[in-house]
Amino acid sequence: MDSTSIPTPGDVAPRQSALSNKITHVLSTSYADLDIRDALDILDRRRFQNTSEARRQLRLDVQKEVIDCNGEIIKEFGQVAEQLRGIGIVISRLNAVYEGMQKHVAAAQRETGSVVKETNLLLSQKQDVDKKQRLLELITAHFSLPPEDFDALTSITERVDDQFFKALNKLKRIHEDCQLLLGSENQTLGLDIMEQSSSTLNKAFEKLYRWVQWEFKALNLENMQISSTIRRALRVLAERPTLFESCLGFLAKSREQMLSEAFLAALTGSFQSDERSHSKPIELSAHDPMRYVGDMLAWTHSATVSEREALEVLFISDGGELARGIQAGLESDPWSRSAGDDVQKFDGVRALNDLVNRSLFGVGGILRQRVEQVISSHDESTLAYRIANLINFYRSTFEKLLGKEATILGVLGALHKSALRQFRILMRERTMEIQADLRQAPADLNAPRFLMEALEQVQDLMKSYETSYSPASSQEADTEIIFKEALDPSMESCDSMHADLEEPSDGIFLLNCLIAVRNALTAFSFTTARVSKVDRRSHELVQKLIDHQHAFFLHTSGLHPLVVALAPFLEKADDLEAMAALPLLQPHALTRTSQTLDEFLSTAVLDATENLKLLQGSKLVHDITEEATSRFCKDFEFIEGRILAIDEHHSTEEEDEDSRVPLRSVFPRTSEEIRVLLS
C-alpha cells in the first residue's frame, strides 16, 4: 500500500482545522447582509452551477467584468478631461474680456466721478424735498378743511345735518391741535392756522345759532316736539354760553307768548283751531268764585306740567352733555364772566325750571289780575279765606314741581297775601259792627248770638282749611289767623259784657261762652293749642265760681265771722284763752250761730245749685258745688277743732267747772253730720 494514500495523524489535523474554520465562517456569516444577498442574487441570475470548474471560471468572469468597467470609466473620464480643457480655454477668454471691461470701467469712473457726486447730492436733496412734501401733505390733511366741509360750516345755503356736525368736530379738533404747533420754535404756522380756525368756528357757531332760532320759530308751539337735530345743535351751542342763553331766551319768549294766548283763549273760549273748541270757557264759571279761581289755577298747573314734560327731554336726558359743553365754553372763554366769579356747574333741573318760569311769566300776570279782581269784588270773608287756602295749596304744588325759586310762586304768594288781607278787612268790618251794636249779656247768660255766628263761621273756615292738605307741622300756625280775625274780636266783646255783670253772673256768662268755643273747636285735630288756652281760662273761671260758692256757704251758714275771728290763733294755751274770750264764742252768740247753721243745712245744696242754674253743663255745676262743699267742710272742721281745744283746755284748769258752760254743748254739730247733710 502506498504510504502517500494513507494520511498520517499530522496531516489530518490541519485539514480538519481548515474545514472547521470554513464551516465556522459559513455559519457565522449573516445572510441578512445586503452585499451577501446581492451576490447571491447575481449568482442566481447567472444560473451558477456549484462545480469546481464553474467556481474557477466565476473568478475569471468577475475580474474580466471589473476590468471592462474600469476601462469604460477611464474612457468617459477622458471625454470629461477634454471638455474641461475646452472650458479652461473659455475661462481664459472670459478673463481677458473681463480685464478689458475693467479697464474701460475704470476709465469711465474717472470720467464720470464728478457727475456721480452731483447726482448723489441731487438725490439727497430730492429725499429731503419728498419728506417735506409728505409732511406738508399730512399737515394739510390734518389742519385744513376740505372745501365741502368749509361750505357746510359757513354757507347759509347748506343745511345743518350730520356733515355739518362732522365738519365742526374736525374743525374743533384742528383748533385744539394748534396748541402743539404753538409749542414749536416757529409759531407762525400755528398762529395762522389758529386764526383761520377761530374765524371759521365763529362763523359756524353763528350759522348754528341762526339755524336754531329759525327752527324754534317753525316749532309747533301748541304741541312742541324738539327733534334730535335741534337737541344736538343745542348741545353743541352750549359751548358758547352767550349764544346758548340767547337761544333759550328766544324759546322762552315764544313759549310765553303762546301760553299767554292759550290762557286767554281758555278764559274766553276764543280758540283759533277746532281742536279745543269743545272746551267750555273758564269765564262761564265766573259766577262761582271758588270754581273760577280753581279752574284758572288748574289750567296753569296743567300747562306747567305739559311745558316741563316738553322741555324735560332737552335738559334732563341731555343734561350731562349740555353741562360739559357749557363748562368747556366757560373755561375756553374766561373773559365772558365777571372777575372773581367761579365756574358754576350746570344744573339741568334748575335750567329746566328757569326756562319754564320764564315761559309762565305772561300767564302769571294774567292770573294775578283775574284772581285779584275776584278777591276784591266779593265781600264774603269765608270766601276770601277759602280762596287763600286754595292758592296756598297750589303754591305748595308748584313749589314741589318747579322749586322754591319759581316765579309763579311769587305770583301765588302775592295772591295769597291779597286774599288774607281781604279776609282781615272783612272780619274787622264785622267786628266794628258787633262793637257798634254791643248790648248787655243775654238774660239766660248763654253765649250771645254774635259769638255763635262767629263760631259757625270759624267752623266753616276750619273745614275749608282741612281740605287744603297743608302739612301737619304748620297747621296750628296757619289757623291762628282764623282765631285772631274771626274769634278773638267776638271773645273780646264777650269780655266787655262780662265786665258789666255782677258775681257770679259774670263768671257764668263767660264760662258759657268758653264752653261754646271749646265745643266748636274740639272737632278739629289742629286746634289743640287754642283748646288748651280755652281750658286754662275756663279753669280760672271755675275756680272763681268755686270761691263764690264757698263764700256763699260761709256767709249763709253764719260761720264766716267765726272763721275770720279764729284764723289768727293757734292751739296754744295763751291763744286758747284769748279765743275763749272772743264775743263770738260766748254761749249765747254761739247758740245763735248754731241755729243759723241748722237753718242753712236744710236747703244749702239746693240754694247753692240755684246760684249756678244758668251755667251750661250739669256736671260742671255739680263739680263746682262739690268742691265748694268740701272747702266748707274743712272750715267747719277748723271751727270744731278750735271749740274742742278750748273745752279741753278749760277742763284741765283748776277752776269751778260749774261756772263755765262747755262750748260743745251749745254747738253740737259734728263735721261728719255736716258732710252727710251736704252730700
Side-chain angles (χ1 to χ4, degrees):
M1 185 174 184
D2 191 2
S3 61
T4 58
S5 60
I6 301 172
T8 64
D11 294 332
V12 173
R15 290 179 180 178
Q16 292 178 347
S17 177
L19 181 59
S20 63
N21 289 336
K22 288 182 178 180
I23 293 171
T24 303
H25 179 70
V26 170
L27 294 175
S28 63
T29 300
S30 174
Y31 293 95
D33 189 1
L34 293 177
D35 293 337
I36 298 295
R37 294 176 65 181
D38 290 341
L40 294 175
D41 185 59
I42 293 172
L43 290 176
D44 185 63
R45 288 198 302 270
R46 288 175 179 270
R47 301 183 182 277
F48 177 74
Q49 300 294 328
N50 190 10
T51 62
S52 61
E53 183 64 27
R55 287 194 296 270
R56 285 193 299 272
Q57 188 64 33
L58 176 62
R59 179 183 293 274
L60 293 176
D61 292 340
V62 170
Q63 289 178 353
K64 181 179 181 298
E65 289 177 1
V66 171
I67 292 171
D68 292 340
C69 288
N70 290 337
E72 291 178 0
I73 292 173
I74 291 172
K75 183 179 179 180
E76 290 178 359
F77 270 106
Q79 294 176 357
V80 172
E82 186 64 26
Q83 292 177 356
L84 289 176
R85 282 195 296 272
I87 292 172
I89 295 172
V90 173
I91 291 174
S92 298
R93 292 177 181 176
L94 288 175
N95 288 333
V97 173
Y98 173 75
E99 290 177 358
M101 291 178 65
Q102 194 173 17
K103 292 178 181 179
H104 287 295
V105 169
Q109 286 180 347
R110 288 193 298 269
E111 293 176 359
T112 60
S114 59
V115 178
V116 171
K117 290 181 180 179
E118 185 177 356
T119 302
N120 292 332
L121 180 60
L122 291 175
L123 289 174
S124 176
Q125 292 177 352
K126 182 177 181 298
Q127 291 177 354
D128 293 340
V129 171
D130 291 340
K131 290 181 181 179
K132 293 180 180 179
Q133 180 66 28
R134 288 195 298 271
L135 181 60
L136 178 60
E137 292 175 354
L138 293 174
I139 292 177
T140 303
H142 188 79
F143 289 97
S144 65
L145 286 175
E148 59 273 13
D149 289 346
F150 183 80
D151 292 340
L153 291 176
T154 58
S155 177
I156 59 175
T157 59
E158 296 290 337
R159 295 180 58 188
V160 175
D161 51 12
D162 289 340
Q163 183 181 359
F164 174 87
F165 293 110
K166 290 179 181 178
L168 184 61
N169 290 333
K170 183 177 181 181
L171 183 59
K172 288 191 291 185
R173 187 173 65 252
I174 291 173
H175 189 75
E176 293 174 358
D177 292 343
C178 285
Q179 297 177 359
L180 299 176
L181 297 178
L182 293 177
S184 61
E185 295 181 358
N186 188 2
Q187 300 180 354
T188 304
L189 177 61
L191 292 174
D192 292 342
I193 295 177
M194 180 167 285
E195 182 179 358
Q196 294 177 2
S197 62
S198 298
S199 176
T200 307
L201 270 177
N202 292 333
K203 293 179 181 178
F205 277 109
E206 185 69 22
K207 174 185 176 180
L208 187 62
Y209 166 68
R210 296 188 182 279
W211 179 84
V212 170
Q213 283 191 327
W214 178 261
E215 290 295 320
F216 279 161
K217 289 180 181 179
L219 279 177
N220 182 5
L221 296 179
E222 293 185 0
N223 186 18
M224 188 172 63
Q225 297 292 335
I226 300 179
S227 65
S228 59
T229 305
I230 298 178
R231 290 161 53 194
R232 185 178 182 183
L234 286 175
R235 292 197 300 268
V236 174
L237 205 61
E239 298 179 15
R240 293 290 189 272
T242 303
L243 298 179
F244 179 73
E245 289 293 334
S246 179
C247 285
L248 294 184
F250 179 82
L251 176 62
K253 186 176 180 181
S254 301
R255 296 297 297 168
E256 177 189 354
Q257 182 179 0
M258 188 280 298
L259 289 176
S260 299
E261 293 175 354
F263 189 36
L264 288 174
L267 288 171
T268 60
S270 57
F271 299 103
Q272 297 180 356
S273 62
D274 296 335
E275 296 179 358
R276 299 175 59 188
S277 59
H278 62 278
S279 300
K280 294 182 180 179
I282 296 177
E283 289 186 345
L284 287 179
S285 60
H287 62 281
D288 185 354
M290 280 298 296
R291 181 180 176 184
Y292 182 46
V293 175
D295 288 347
M296 288 191 291
L297 291 172
W299 189 97
T300 305
H301 179 261
S302 177
T304 303
V305 173
S306 300
E307 188 76 4
R308 199 174 191 278
E309 289 177 352
L311 299 174
E312 192 172 24
V313 66
L314 174 63
F315 290 96
I316 303 302
S317 61
D318 299 338
E321 296 186 17
L322 287 175
R324 289 191 292 271
I326 292 177
Q327 187 76 12
L330 292 175
E331 291 176 354
S332 62
D333 189 18
W335 50 85
S336 64
R337 61 180 187 272
S338 302
D341 291 346
D342 296 332
V343 179
Q344 296 183 354
K345 186 177 180 181
F346 177 79
D347 187 352
V349 176
R350 183 176 181 180
L352 171 62
N353 292 338
D354 180 64
L355 185 58
V356 174
N357 286 332
R358 286 191 280 177
S359 301
L360 293 174
F361 184 79
V363 174
I366 299 173
L367 178 68
R368 182 171 184 173
Q369 179 184 5
R370 296 300 180 98
V371 176
E372 284 183 346
Q373 183 179 1
V374 172
I375 293 172
S376 60
S377 61
H378 291 80
D379 55 358
E380 186 179 348
S381 57
T382 304
L383 176 62
Y385 186 77
R386 291 174 63 192
I387 292 177
N389 280 338
L390 181 62
I391 294 173
N392 192 45
F393 167 73
Y394 274 98
R395 183 172 63 175
S396 61
T397 303
F398 277 104
E399 182 176 345
K400 296 176 183 178
L401 185 62
L402 299 178
K404 296 183 178 180
E405 299 179 358
T407 306
I408 192 67
L409 292 182
V411 175
L412 296 178
L415 292 175
H416 183 257
K417 291 180 180 178
S418 177
L420 290 181
R421 182 169 58 252
Q422 181 71 4
F423 170 72
R424 293 190 185 95
I425 291 173
L426 296 174
M427 292 306 303
R428 287 170 184 172
E429 290 178 356
R430 181 179 178 278
T431 301
M432 294 176 63
E433 294 176 0
I434 293 174
Q435 292 176 350
D437 297 338
L438 197 61
R439 300 177 181 177
Q440 295 180 350
D444 57 1
L445 300 182
N446 282 332
R449 182 177 179 181
F450 67 82
L451 178 60
M452 300 307 296
E453 292 176 354
L455 290 176
E456 290 179 2
Q457 188 175 29
V458 168
Q459 286 182 319
D460 291 340
L461 296 175
M462 290 292 184
K463 292 176 181 178
S464 173
Y465 181 78
E466 274 187 325
T467 62
S468 64
Y469 300 102
S470 299
S473 58
S474 63
Q475 287 181 344
E476 292 194 2
D478 293 342
T479 54
E480 187 61 29
I481 186 175
I482 299 176
F483 302 134
K484 183 178 179 181
E485 302 296 338
L487 181 61
D488 290 349
S490 298
M491 288 303 301
E492 290 175 0
S493 299
C494 292
D495 286 335
S496 300
M497 292 181 177
H498 140 271
D500 297 334
L501 296 175
E502 296 180 356
E503 196 175 3
S505 297
D506 57 348
I508 293 174
F509 169 70
L510 195 55
L511 190 56
N512 285 337
C513 294
L514 293 175
I515 291 173
V517 171
R518 192 183 193 283
N519 293 335
L521 298 184
T522 51
F524 304 97
S525 60
F526 44 84
T527 58
T528 306
R530 175 60 64 152
V531 170
S532 299
K533 184 177 180 180
V534 171
D535 288 342
R536 288 193 297 271
R537 183 75 185 278
S538 299
H539 180 72
E540 294 175 359
L541 294 174
V542 167
Q543 294 301 317
K544 290 182 179 180
L545 290 178
I546 292 174
D547 293 339
H548 176 269
Q549 290 290 76
H550 179 220
F552 169 76
F553 282 146
L554 290 178
H555 287 85
T556 307
S557 63
L559 298 183
H560 182 264
L562 283 176
V563 173
V564 174
L566 297 177
F569 298 100
L570 300 176
E571 292 186 1
K572 299 188 297 183
D574 296 341
D575 288 347
L576 292 175
E577 290 292 339
M579 285 189 289
L582 290 175
L584 292 176
L585 291 181
Q586 301 305 314
H588 61 279
L590 200 57
T591 300
R592 290 195 301 271
T593 302
S594 179
Q595 293 174 354
T596 304
L597 176 61
D598 291 339
E599 295 175 358
F600 160 76
L601 291 175
S602 60
T603 60
V605 177
L606 294 177
D607 294 340
T609 305
E610 184 69 18
N611 293 337
L612 303 179
K613 65 179 180 178
L614 298 179
L615 182 62
Q616 299 296 319
S618 58
K619 184 178 185 303
L620 184 60
V621 173
H622 176 269
D623 293 341
I624 293 174
T625 304
E626 185 176 1
E627 179 64 23
T629 302
S630 177
R631 293 185 183 182
F632 176 76
C633 292
K634 290 180 180 179
D635 293 337
F636 185 84
E637 289 178 359
F638 170 74
I639 296 173
E640 182 184 19
R642 292 291 187 268
I643 290 175
L644 293 176
I646 292 173
D647 287 343
E648 184 179 359
H649 175 69
H650 288 165
S651 64
T652 58
E653 293 180 353
E654 295 179 357
E655 295 181 0
D656 185 6
E657 295 182 0
D658 295 335
S659 62
R660 180 177 294 276
V661 178
L663 299 180
R664 188 60 172 173
S665 63
V666 298
F667 197 80
R669 290 288 183 182
T670 63
S671 58
E672 289 78 6
E673 294 175 350
I674 297 297
R675 291 186 182 276
V676 171
L677 292 173
L678 295 180
S679 62

